[in-house]
Amino acid sequence: EGTYEVTLNLIEPEKIKAGERVFDVSVNNQTLINNMDLTADYGFCQATSKSFIVTTKNSEGLTISSIAKKGKPVISGISVEKK
């Protein structure tokens, strides 16, 4: 239980067109990123990170999920820091 900063490191590793890889990311069934399209938003091989504050309770822990809308989701790294 507690409050955590969850940071997702993201990069599009393939030369694909915008719209070919679109996905959502959720933590504990709460959608934090909706319709992520790394090519459209950042381009090929341009790294970015997204950070979120997440609070857990009732010993639920942290479950991070990526949900494909088109193509396969890609997350390059995840860090979790207790606050």
Side-chain angles (χ1 to χ4, degrees), residues 2-22:
T3 300
Y4 298 86
E5 181 175 19
V6 176
T7 301
L8 305 174
N9 300 306
L10 305 157
I11 189 169
E12 178 52 64
E14 299 178 31
K15 288 187 177 183
I16 60 175
K17 295 179 183 176
E20 288 187 36
R21 185 190 319 267
V22 180

Side-chain angles (χ1 to χ4, degrees), residues 36-56:
M36 173 58 75
D37 184 338
L38 293 167
T39 299
D41 295 340
Y42 305 100
F44 170 65
C45 272
Q46 297 297 311
T48 190
S49 62
K50 304 280 185 187
S51 295
F52 306 93
I53 301 298
V54 178
T55 301
T56 64

